[in-house]
Amino acid sequence: MHYSLEGMGLAMGWWWIIGLIIVVTIVWLVINSMNKKKNPHPGKSPMDILKERYARGEIVKEEFEERKKDLM
């Protein structure tokens, strides 16, 4: 029996593209997950979060006013 690899040349050339796609996908997933950790309250501004903390009683009025000045 004689096996020929002539037809394999074209198919073997595509494996590096598949590997590249896998690597790019993994990098994208890592970067995307890191960005989600930076902002645990998506869609809320820092002022909204400050107001919520004040409303829940986590901070007193003086601290609220001081942080409000820092944000503005």
Side-chain angles (χ1 to χ4, degrees):
M1 274 191 195
H2 176 64
Y3 293 101
S4 174
L5 296 176
E6 288 179 21
M8 296 295 285
L10 185 60
M12 296 290 280
W14 289 98
W15 283 108
W16 71 271
I17 295 174
I18 293 170
L20 182 64
I21 291 170
I22 291 170
V23 169
V24 169
T25 302
I26 291 171
V27 170
W28 179 80
L29 288 172
V30 168
I31 291 172
N32 195 21
S33 68
M34 289 173 60
N35 286 338
K36 287 182 180 179
K37 289 179 184 177
K38 288 182 182 178
N39 187 4
H41 305 284
K44 292 184 181 180
S45 71
M47 184 60 75
D48 292 336
I49 297 168
L50 182 64
K51 288 176 183 177
E52 287 177 5
R53 291 189 63 202
Y54 180 63
R56 287 191 300 256
E58 293 178 12
I59 57 176
V60 294
K61 183 173 181 167
E62 293 80 21
E63 187 175 1
F64 173 78
E65 293 297 331
E66 183 179 320
R67 291 184 183 204
K68 183 177 165 183
K69 285 182 206 173
D70 290 341
L71 291 174
M72 293 187 160

